[in-house]
Amino acid sequence: MTSSPTPTRPNPIQFVGYILGRTLPASMQAWVRDDVLGPGGSRRFLLRWNLPVIPPLLLFLLIPGPVWLPIMMILLLLLPWTYFSVALMPIWQRHRLQQHGLDPGLLGVKDRERAMREREAYERRHGRVA
């Protein structure tokens, strides 16, 4: 009797739960790491955070008057919402990593590697490396 392999990607129900903040099984840690920190992770976060806000904001278009007025009201709410979602993205990423049992130190690995390369290049340029 063969057992089915452990899933490494969430099924649609698990994915919706993940989007709403639930924790996935430990077998999906690699997928969570790639979702949060991988290529396109920031774009996915912003889409998941901002798209649900747009339909209620579109209700402003039902306000009578010149069309520029509801558009300005939408922008008045959407721009700060987007600004704060970008500002709070690292906090959310750290939370998601901790929630799934991953090291939150993974969050700054790329930045630390880039800083180390820049420092080495600086030291080579100025003769501080033997």
Side-chain angles (χ1 to χ4, degrees):
M1 189 159 101
T2 62
S3 64
S4 62
T6 306
T8 56
R9 296 181 54 90
N11 62 37
I13 294 171
Q14 289 173 321
F15 183 73
V16 169
Y18 172 76
I19 296 294
L20 296 174
R22 299 196 67 189
T23 304
L24 293 174
S27 64
M28 298 180 192
Q29 281 186 343
W31 184 87
V32 170
R33 185 186 64 243
D34 290 341
D35 180 62
V36 173
L37 301 174
S42 299
R43 182 180 61 244
R44 282 188 298 275
F45 167 77
L46 290 174
L47 283 173
R48 291 173 188 164
W49 192 255
N50 291 332
L51 280 181
V53 173
I54 291 174
L57 289 178
L58 291 177
L59 292 175
F60 282 115
L61 294 174
L62 299 176
I63 295 175
V67 73
W68 64 268
L69 186 62
I71 290 174
M72 290 299 124
M73 291 187 328
I74 291 171
L75 289 176
L76 185 65
L77 294 170
L78 189 59
L79 291 177
W81 177 270
T82 303
Y83 173 79
F84 282 110
S85 65
V86 169
L88 295 173
M89 185 170 28
I91 295 167
W92 175 85
Q93 289 173 325
R94 179 172 282 109
H95 166 71
R96 291 302 267 185
L97 291 172
Q98 287 175 334
Q99 180 184 30
H100 288 87
L102 295 166
D103 179 20
L106 293 171
L107 191 56
V109 168
K110 290 180 184 177
D111 293 334
R112 287 191 296 272
E113 289 173 353
R114 182 179 46 82
M116 189 175 8
R117 284 193 309 270
E118 288 176 3
R119 181 174 177 85
E120 289 171 358
Y122 174 85
E123 290 178 351
R124 262 188 262 111
R125 256 192 328 265
H126 296 288
R128 295 185 180 188
V129 174

